[in-house]
Amino acid sequence: MSEYKLSSVRDYVFATSVAVGLAGVLGVYLLIRRGYMFAAPVSAGALYVPNKVIAGVAVVMIAFSFLIGPLARYFSRFDRWLNYRKEIGIVGGLLGILHGVISAHLVPAKFTIEHLFTGDAWGTSVAGLAAAAILLF
């Protein structure tokens, strides 16, 4: 059985650099797909596409933190990633919370607080809050 490893700043720098690399890839994809990054239509707001990038990176980081264990079990190439699993999940969770804050407060042209908690968006907002609570726990 392995000994518990304390997190270091180096581990979080590594996890953050993985997130920045993923953001670059997803950002280029959405730039090509939509044709704009910050110059979104007025109906969407300037942070609409970057907010999508943050959400995508959060999901990929959290999924990757769950996937590292099984990958390391079957492929020895991923053994060294086990040391960064916790930090990758934490950075992904923080990006997910950042996405929620941006959606609720900084993209009011697309999402108002009233819109987020009424009608069809109500279930999505409650699921997002539940996910944030689980990640914080």
CSV table of all heavy atoms in Angstrom, one decimal, residues 78-131:
chain,number,residue,atom,x,y,z
A,78,PHE,N,0.5,5.3,-17.7
A,78,PHE,CA,-0.3,6.2,-17.0
A,78,PHE,C,0.0,6.2,-15.5
A,78,PHE,O,-0.7,6.9,-14.7
A,78,PHE,CB,-1.8,6.0,-17.2
A,78,PHE,CG,-2.2,6.4,-18.6
A,78,PHE,CD1,-2.4,5.4,-19.6
A,78,PHE,CD2,-2.5,7.7,-19.0
A,78,PHE,CE1,-2.7,5.7,-20.9
A,78,PHE,CE2,-2.8,8.0,-20.3
A,78,PHE,CZ,-3.0,7.0,-21.2
A,79,ASP,N,0.9,5.4,-15.1
A,79,ASP,CA,1.2,5.2,-13.6
A,79,ASP,C,1.6,6.5,-13.0
A,79,ASP,O,1.2,6.9,-11.9
A,79,ASP,CB,2.3,4.2,-13.4
A,79,ASP,CG,1.8,2.8,-13.6
A,79,ASP,OD1,0.5,2.6,-13.6
A,79,ASP,OD2,2.6,1.8,-13.6
A,80,ARG,N,2.4,7.3,-13.7
A,80,ARG,CA,2.9,8.6,-13.1
A,80,ARG,C,1.8,9.6,-13.0
A,80,ARG,O,1.9,10.5,-12.2
A,80,ARG,CB,4.1,9.1,-13.9
A,80,ARG,CG,3.7,9.6,-15.3
A,80,ARG,CD,4.9,10.1,-16.0
A,80,ARG,NE,4.6,10.6,-17.3
A,80,ARG,CZ,4.4,11.9,-17.6
A,80,ARG,NH1,4.5,12.8,-16.7
A,80,ARG,NH2,4.0,12.3,-18.8
A,81,TRP,N,0.7,9.4,-13.7
A,81,TRP,CA,-0.4,10.4,-13.6
A,81,TRP,C,-1.2,10.2,-12.4
A,81,TRP,O,-2.0,11.1,-12.0
A,81,TRP,CB,-1.3,10.2,-14.9
A,81,TRP,CG,-0.8,10.8,-16.1
A,81,TRP,CD1,0.2,10.2,-16.9
A,81,TRP,CD2,-1.1,12.1,-16.7
A,81,TRP,NE1,0.5,11.0,-18.0
A,81,TRP,CE2,-0.3,12.2,-17.8
A,81,TRP,CE3,-1.9,13.1,-16.3
A,81,TRP,CZ2,-0.3,13.3,-18.6
A,81,TRP,CZ3,-2.0,14.2,-17.1
A,81,TRP,CH2,-1.2,14.3,-18.3
A,82,LEU,N,-1.1,9.0,-11.7
A,82,LEU,CA,-1.8,8.8,-10.5
A,82,LEU,C,-1.5,9.8,-9.4
A,82,LEU,O,-2.3,10.2,-8.6
A,82,LEU,CB,-1.5,7.4,-9.9
A,82,LEU,CG,-2.2,6.3,-10.6
A,82,LEU,CD1,-1.7,4.9,-10.2
A,82,LEU,CD2,-3.7,6.3,-10.4
A,83,ASN,N,-0.2,10.3,-9.4
A,83,ASN,CA,0.2,11.3,-8.5
A,83,ASN,C,-0.5,12.7,-8.6
A,83,ASN,O,-0.6,13.5,-7.7
A,83,ASN,CB,1.7,11.6,-8.6
A,83,ASN,CG,2.5,10.4,-8.1
A,83,ASN,OD1,2.0,9.6,-7.3
A,83,ASN,ND2,3.7,10.2,-8.7
A,84,TYR,N,-1.1,12.9,-9.8
A,84,TYR,CA,-1.7,14.2,-10.1
A,84,TYR,C,-3.2,14.1,-10.1
A,84,TYR,O,-3.9,15.1,-10.5
A,84,TYR,CB,-1.2,14.8,-11.4
A,84,TYR,CG,0.3,14.9,-11.5
A,84,TYR,CD1,1.1,14.1,-12.2
A,84,TYR,CD2,0.9,15.9,-10.7
A,84,TYR,CE1,2.4,14.2,-12.3
A,84,TYR,CE2,2.3,16.1,-10.8
A,84,TYR,CZ,3.0,15.2,-11.5
A,84,TYR,OH,4.4,15.4,-11.6
A,85,ARG,N,-3.8,13.0,-9.9
A,85,ARG,CA,-5.2,12.7,-10.0
A,85,ARG,C,-6.1,13.7,-9.2
A,85,ARG,O,-7.0,14.2,-9.6
A,85,ARG,CB,-5.5,11.3,-9.6
A,85,ARG,CG,-6.8,10.8,-9.9
A,85,ARG,CD,-6.8,9.3,-9.9
A,85,ARG,NE,-7.8,8.8,-9.0
A,85,ARG,CZ,-8.1,7.5,-8.9
A,85,ARG,NH1,-7.4,6.6,-9.6
A,85,ARG,NH2,-9.0,7.1,-8.1
A,86,LYS,N,-5.7,13.8,-7.9
A,86,LYS,CA,-6.5,14.7,-7.0
A,86,LYS,C,-6.4,16.1,-7.5
A,86,LYS,O,-7.5,16.8,-7.5
A,86,LYS,CB,-5.9,14.6,-5.6
A,86,LYS,CG,-6.6,15.5,-4.6
A,86,LYS,CD,-6.1,15.4,-3.2
A,86,LYS,CE,-4.7,16.1,-3.1
A,86,LYS,NZ,-4.2,16.1,-1.7
A,87,GLU,N,-5.3,16.6,-7.9
A,87,GLU,CA,-5.1,18.0,-8.3
A,87,GLU,C,-5.9,18.3,-9.6
A,87,GLU,O,-6.4,19.4,-9.7
A,87,GLU,CB,-3.6,18.3,-8.4
A,87,GLU,CG,-2.8,18.4,-7.1
A,87,GLU,CD,-2.4,17.0,-6.6
A,87,GLU,OE1,-2.6,16.0,-7.3
A,87,GLU,OE2,-1.9,17.0,-5.5
A,88,ILE,N,-5.8,17.3,-10.5
A,88,ILE,CA,-6.6,17.5,-11.7
A,88,ILE,C,-8.1,17.6,-11.4
A,88,ILE,O,-8.8,18.4,-12.0
A,88,ILE,CB,-6.3,16.3,-12.7
A,88,ILE,CG1,-4.8,16.5,-13.3
A,88,ILE,CG2,-7.3,16.3,-13.9
A,88,ILE,CD1,-4.4,15.3,-14.1
A,89,GLY,N,-8.6,16.8,-10.5
A,89,GLY,CA,-10.0,16.9,-10.2
A,89,GLY,C,-10.3,18.2,-9.5
A,89,GLY,O,-11.4,18.7,-9.7
A,90,ILE,N,-9.5,18.6,-8.6
A,90,ILE,CA,-9.7,19.9,-7.9
A,90,ILE,C,-9.7,21.1,-8.9
A,90,ILE,O,-10.6,21.9,-8.8
A,90,ILE,CB,-8.7,20.1,-6.7
A,90,ILE,CG1,-9.0,19.1,-5.6
A,90,ILE,CG2,-8.8,21.5,-6.2
A,90,ILE,CD1,-8.0,19.1,-4.5
A,91,VAL,N,-8.8,21.1,-9.8
A,91,VAL,CA,-8.7,22.2,-10.8
A,91,VAL,C,-10.0,22.1,-11.6
A,91,VAL,O,-10.6,23.2,-11.9
A,91,VAL,CB,-7.4,22.1,-11.6
A,91,VAL,CG1,-7.5,23.1,-12.8
A,91,VAL,CG2,-6.2,22.5,-10.7
A,92,GLY,N,-10.4,20.9,-12.0
A,92,GLY,CA,-11.6,20.8,-12.8
A,92,GLY,C,-12.8,21.2,-12.1
A,92,GLY,O,-13.7,21.9,-12.6
A,93,GLY,N,-12.9,20.9,-10.8
A,93,GLY,CA,-14.1,21.3,-10.0
A,93,GLY,C,-14.1,22.8,-9.8
A,93,GLY,O,-15.2,23.5,-9.9
A,94,LEU,N,-12.9,23.5,-9.6
A,94,LEU,CA,-12.9,24.9,-9.5
A,94,LEU,C,-13.3,25.6,-10.8
A,94,LEU,O,-14.0,26.6,-10.8
A,94,LEU,CB,-11.5,25.4,-9.1
A,94,LEU,CG,-11.1,25.0,-7.6
A,94,LEU,CD1,-9.7,25.4,-7.3
A,94,LEU,CD2,-12.1,25.7,-6.6
A,95,LEU,N,-12.9,25.0,-11.9
A,95,LEU,CA,-13.3,25.6,-13.2
A,95,LEU,C,-14.8,25.4,-13.4
A,95,LEU,O,-15.5,26.3,-14.0
A,95,LEU,CB,-12.5,24.9,-14.4
A,95,LEU,CG,-11.1,25.3,-14.5
A,95,LEU,CD1,-10.4,24.4,-15.5
A,95,LEU,CD2,-11.0,26.7,-14.9
A,96,GLY,N,-15.4,24.3,-12.9
A,96,GLY,CA,-16.8,24.1,-13.0
A,96,GLY,C,-17.6,25.2,-12.2
A,96,GLY,O,-18.6,25.7,-12.6
A,97,ILE,N,-17.1,25.5,-11.0
A,97,ILE,CA,-17.7,26.5,-10.2
A,97,ILE,C,-17.5,27.9,-10.8
A,97,ILE,O,-18.4,28.7,-10.8
A,97,ILE,CB,-17.1,26.5,-8.8
A,97,ILE,CG1,-17.5,25.2,-8.1
A,97,ILE,CG2,-17.5,27.7,-8.0
A,97,ILE,CD1,-16.8,24.9,-6.8
A,98,LEU,N,-16.3,28.1,-11.4
A,98,LEU,CA,-16.1,29.4,-12.2
A,98,LEU,C,-17.1,29.5,-13.3
A,98,LEU,O,-17.6,30.6,-13.6
A,98,LEU,CB,-14.7,29.5,-12.7
A,98,LEU,CG,-14.3,30.7,-13.5
A,98,LEU,CD1,-14.4,31.9,-12.7
A,98,LEU,CD2,-12.9,30.5,-14.1
A,99,HIS,N,-17.4,28.4,-14.0
A,99,HIS,CA,-18.4,28.4,-15.1
A,99,HIS,C,-19.7,28.8,-14.6
A,99,HIS,O,-20.4,29.6,-15.2
A,99,HIS,CB,-18.4,27.1,-15.8
A,99,HIS,CG,-19.6,26.9,-16.6
A,99,HIS,ND1,-19.9,27.5,-17.8
A,99,HIS,CD2,-20.7,26.1,-16.4
A,99,HIS,CE1,-21.0,27.1,-18.3
A,99,HIS,NE2,-21.6,26.2,-17.4
A,100,GLY,N,-20.1,28.3,-13.4
A,100,GLY,CA,-21.4,28.7,-12.8
A,100,GLY,C,-21.5,30.2,-12.5
A,100,GLY,O,-22.5,30.8,-12.7
A,101,VAL,N,-20.4,30.7,-11.9
A,101,VAL,CA,-20.4,32.1,-11.5
A,101,VAL,C,-20.5,33.0,-12.8
A,101,VAL,O,-21.2,34.0,-12.8
A,101,VAL,CB,-19.1,32.4,-10.7
A,101,VAL,CG1,-18.9,33.9,-10.5
A,101,VAL,CG2,-19.2,31.7,-9.4
A,102,ILE,N,-19.7,32.6,-13.8
A,102,ILE,CA,-19.7,33.4,-15.0
A,102,ILE,C,-21.1,33.3,-15.7
A,102,ILE,O,-21.6,34.4,-16.1
A,102,ILE,CB,-18.6,32.9,-16.0
A,102,ILE,CG1,-17.3,33.3,-15.5
A,102,ILE,CG2,-18.8,33.5,-17.4
A,102,ILE,CD1,-16.1,32.7,-16.3
A,103,SER,N,-21.7,32.2,-15.7
A,103,SER,CA,-23.0,32.0,-16.3
A,103,SER,C,-24.1,32.9,-15.6
A,103,SER,O,-25.0,33.5,-16.2
A,103,SER,CB,-23.5,30.6,-16.3
A,103,SER,OG,-22.7,29.8,-17.1
A,104,ALA,N,-24.0,32.9,-14.2
A,104,ALA,CA,-25.0,33.5,-13.5
A,104,ALA,C,-24.8,35.1,-13.4
A,104,ALA,O,-25.8,35.8,-13.3
A,104,ALA,CB,-25.0,33.0,-12.0
A,105,HIS,N,-23.6,35.5,-13.5
A,105,HIS,CA,-23.4,36.9,-13.2
A,105,HIS,C,-22.7,37.7,-14.3
A,105,HIS,O,-22.9,38.9,-14.4
A,105,HIS,CB,-22.5,37.1,-11.9
A,105,HIS,CG,-23.2,36.6,-10.7
A,105,HIS,ND1,-24.3,37.1,-10.1
A,105,HIS,CD2,-22.9,35.5,-10.0
A,105,HIS,CE1,-24.6,36.4,-9.1
A,105,HIS,NE2,-23.8,35.4,-9.0
A,106,LEU,N,-21.9,37.1,-15.2
A,106,LEU,CA,-21.2,37.8,-16.2
A,106,LEU,C,-21.7,37.7,-17.6
A,106,LEU,O,-21.1,38.3,-18.5
A,106,LEU,CB,-19.7,37.4,-16.1
A,106,LEU,CG,-19.0,37.7,-14.8
A,106,LEU,CD1,-17.6,37.2,-14.8
A,106,LEU,CD2,-19.1,39.2,-14.4
A,107,VAL,N,-22.7,36.8,-17.8
A,107,VAL,CA,-23.3,36.7,-19.2
A,107,VAL,C,-24.8,37.0,-19.1
A,107,VAL,O,-25.6,36.1,-19.4
A,107,VAL,CB,-23.0,35.3,-19.7
A,107,VAL,CG1,-23.4,35.2,-21.2
A,107,VAL,CG2,-21.5,34.9,-19.6
A,108,PRO,N,-25.1,38.1,-18.6
A,108,PRO,CA,-26.5,38.4,-18.4
A,108,PRO,C,-27.3,38.6,-19.7
A,108,PRO,O,-28.5,38.5,-19.7
A,108,PRO,CB,-26.5,39.7,-17.6
A,108,PRO,CG,-25.3,40.4,-18.0
A,108,PRO,CD,-24.3,39.3,-18.2
A,109,ALA,N,-26.6,38.9,-20.8
A,109,ALA,CA,-27.4,39.0,-22.1
A,109,ALA,C,-28.0,37.6,-22.5
A,109,ALA,O,-29.0,37.6,-23.1
A,109,ALA,CB,-26.4,39.5,-23.2
A,110,LYS,N,-27.3,36.5,-22.1
A,110,LYS,CA,-27.8,35.2,-22.4
A,110,LYS,C,-28.5,34.5,-21.2
A,110,LYS,O,-29.5,33.9,-21.4
A,110,LYS,CB,-26.6,34.3,-22.9
A,110,LYS,CG,-27.0,33.1,-23.5
A,110,LYS,CD,-27.6,33.3,-24.9
A,110,LYS,CE,-27.9,32.0,-25.6
A,110,LYS,NZ,-28.6,32.1,-26.8
A,111,PHE,N,-28.0,34.7,-20.0
A,111,PHE,CA,-28.5,34.0,-18.9
A,111,PHE,C,-28.8,35.0,-17.8
A,111,PHE,O,-27.8,35.5,-17.2
A,111,PHE,CB,-27.6,33.0,-18.4
A,111,PHE,CG,-27.1,32.0,-19.4
A,111,PHE,CD1,-25.8,32.0,-19.9
A,111,PHE,CD2,-27.9,31.0,-19.9
A,111,PHE,CE1,-25.4,31.2,-20.8
A,111,PHE,CE2,-27.5,30.1,-20.8
A,111,PHE,CZ,-26.2,30.2,-21.3
A,112,THR,N,-30.0,35.3,-17.5
A,112,THR,CA,-30.3,36.1,-16.3
A,112,THR,C,-30.6,35.2,-15.1
A,112,THR,O,-30.9,34.0,-15.3
A,112,THR,CB,-31.5,37.1,-16.5
A,112,THR,OG1,-32.7,36.2,-16.8
A,112,THR,CG2,-31.3,38.0,-17.7
A,113,ILE,N,-30.5,35.7,-13.9
A,113,ILE,CA,-30.8,34.9,-12.7
A,113,ILE,C,-32.3,34.4,-12.8
A,113,ILE,O,-32.5,33.2,-12.5
A,113,ILE,CB,-30.6,35.7,-11.4
A,113,ILE,CG1,-29.1,36.1,-11.3
A,113,ILE,CG2,-31.0,34.9,-10.2
A,113,ILE,CD1,-28.2,34.9,-11.1
A,114,GLU,N,-33.2,35.2,-13.2
A,114,GLU,CA,-34.6,34.8,-13.3
A,114,GLU,C,-34.7,33.7,-14.4
A,114,GLU,O,-35.5,32.8,-14.2
A,114,GLU,CB,-35.5,36.0,-13.8
A,114,GLU,CG,-35.5,37.1,-12.7
A,114,GLU,CD,-34.3,38.0,-12.8
A,114,GLU,OE1,-33.6,38.1,-13.8
A,114,GLU,OE2,-34.0,38.7,-11.8
A,115,HIS,N,-34.0,33.8,-15.5
A,115,HIS,CA,-34.1,32.8,-16.5
A,115,HIS,C,-33.5,31.4,-16.0
A,115,HIS,O,-34.0,30.4,-16.3
A,115,HIS,CB,-33.3,33.2,-17.8
A,115,HIS,CG,-33.1,32.1,-18.8
A,115,HIS,ND1,-34.2,31.7,-19.6
A,115,HIS,CD2,-32.1,31.4,-19.1
A,115,HIS,CE1,-33.7,30.7,-20.4
A,115,HIS,NE2,-32.4,30.5,-20.1
A,116,LEU,N,-32.4,31.5,-15.2
A,116,LEU,CA,-31.8,30.3,-14.8
A,116,LEU,C,-32.6,29.5,-13.8
A,116,LEU,O,-32.5,28.3,-13.7
A,116,LEU,CB,-30.4,30.6,-14.1
A,116,LEU,CG,-29.3,31.1,-15.0
A,116,LEU,CD1,-28.1,31.5,-14.2
A,116,LEU,CD2,-28.9,30.0,-16.0
A,117,PHE,N,-33.5,30.1,-13.1
A,117,PHE,CA,-34.3,29.4,-12.1
A,117,PHE,C,-35.8,29.4,-12.4
A,117,PHE,O,-36.6,29.2,-11.5
A,117,PHE,CB,-34.1,30.0,-10.7
A,117,PHE,CG,-32.7,29.7,-10.3
A,117,PHE,CD1,-31.7,30.6,-10.3
A,117,PHE,CD2,-32.3,28.4,-9.8
A,117,PHE,CE1,-30.4,30.3,-9.9
A,117,PHE,CE2,-31.0,28.1,-9.4
A,117,PHE,CZ,-30.1,29.1,-9.4
A,118,THR,N,-36.2,29.5,-13.7
A,118,THR,CA,-37.6,29.4,-14.1
A,118,THR,C,-37.6,28.6,-15.4
A,118,THR,O,-36.6,28.5,-16.1
A,118,THR,CB,-38.2,30.8,-14.4
A,118,THR,OG1,-37.5,31.5,-15.3
A,118,THR,CG2,-38.3,31.6,-13.1
A,119,GLY,N,-38.7,28.0,-15.7
A,119,GLY,CA,-39.0,27.4,-16.9
A,119,GLY,C,-38.1,26.2,-17.2
A,119,GLY,O,-37.8,25.4,-16.2
A,120,ASP,N,-37.6,26.0,-18.4
A,120,ASP,CA,-36.8,24.8,-18.8
A,120,ASP,C,-35.4,24.8,-18.1
A,120,ASP,O,-34.8,23.8,-18.0
A,120,ASP,CB,-36.7,24.8,-20.3
A,120,ASP,CG,-38.0,24.5,-21.0
A,120,ASP,OD1,-38.9,24.0,-20.3
A,120,ASP,OD2,-38.1,24.9,-22.2
A,121,ALA,N,-34.9,26.0,-17.8
A,121,ALA,CA,-33.5,26.1,-17.3
A,121,ALA,C,-33.5,25.7,-15.8
A,121,ALA,O,-32.4,25.5,-15.3
A,121,ALA,CB,-32.9,27.4,-17.5
A,122,TRP,N,-34.6,25.6,-15.2
A,122,TRP,CA,-34.6,25.3,-13.7
A,122,TRP,C,-33.9,24.0,-13.4
A,122,TRP,O,-33.1,24.0,-12.5
A,122,TRP,CB,-36.0,25.3,-13.2
A,122,TRP,CG,-36.1,25.0,-11.7
A,122,TRP,CD1,-36.0,26.0,-10.8
A,122,TRP,CD2,-36.4,23.8,-11.1
A,122,TRP,NE1,-36.1,25.4,-9.5
A,122,TRP,CE2,-36.3,24.0,-9.7
A,122,TRP,CE3,-36.5,22.5,-11.5
A,122,TRP,CZ2,-36.5,23.0,-8.8
A,122,TRP,CZ3,-36.7,21.5,-10.6
A,122,TRP,CH2,-36.7,21.8,-9.2
A,123,GLY,N,-34.2,22.9,-14.1
A,123,GLY,CA,-33.6,21.6,-13.8
A,123,GLY,C,-32.1,21.6,-14.0
A,123,GLY,O,-31.3,21.1,-13.2
A,124,THR,N,-31.6,22.3,-15.1
A,124,THR,CA,-30.2,22.4,-15.3
A,124,THR,C,-29.5,23.2,-14.2
A,124,THR,O,-28.4,22.8,-13.8
A,124,THR,CB,-30.0,23.1,-16.7
A,124,THR,OG1,-30.7,22.4,-17.7
A,124,THR,CG2,-28.5,23.1,-17.0
A,125,SER,N,-30.1,24.3,-13.8
A,125,SER,CA,-29.5,25.1,-12.7
A,125,SER,C,-29.4,24.3,-11.4
A,125,SER,O,-28.4,24.4,-10.7
A,125,SER,CB,-30.3,26.4,-12.5
A,125,SER,OG,-30.3,27.1,-13.7
A,126,VAL,N,-30.5,23.6,-11.1
A,126,VAL,CA,-30.5,22.8,-9.8
A,126,VAL,C,-29.4,21.7,-9.9
A,126,VAL,O,-28.7,21.4,-9.0
A,126,VAL,CB,-31.9,22.2,-9.5
A,126,VAL,CG1,-31.8,21.2,-8.4
A,126,VAL,CG2,-32.8,23.4,-9.2
A,127,ALA,N,-29.3,21.1,-11.1
A,127,ALA,CA,-28.3,20.0,-11.3
A,127,ALA,C,-26.9,20.6,-11.1
A,127,ALA,O,-26.0,20.0,-10.6
A,127,ALA,CB,-28.5,19.3,-12.6
A,128,GLY,N,-26.7,21.8,-11.7
A,128,GLY,CA,-25.4,22.5,-11.6
A,128,GLY,C,-25.0,22.8,-10.1
A,128,GLY,O,-23.9,22.6,-9.7
A,129,LEU,N,-26.0,23.3,-9.4
A,129,LEU,CA,-25.8,23.6,-8.0
A,129,LEU,C,-25.5,22.3,-7.2
A,129,LEU,O,-24.7,22.3,-6.3
A,129,LEU,CB,-27.0,24.3,-7.4
A,129,LEU,CG,-27.2,25.8,-7.9
A,129,LEU,CD1,-28.5,26.4,-7.4
A,129,LEU,CD2,-26.0,26.6,-7.4
A,130,ALA,N,-26.2,21.2,-7.5
A,130,ALA,CA,-26.0,20.0,-6.8
A,130,ALA,C,-24.6,19.5,-7.1
A,130,ALA,O,-23.9,19.0,-6.2
A,130,ALA,CB,-27.0,18.9,-7.2
A,131,ALA,N,-24.2,19.6,-8.4
A,131,ALA,CA,-22.8,19.1,-8.8
A,131,ALA,C,-21.7,20.0,-8.0
A,131,ALA,O,-20.7,19.5,-7.6
A,131,ALA,CB,-22.6,19.2,-10.3
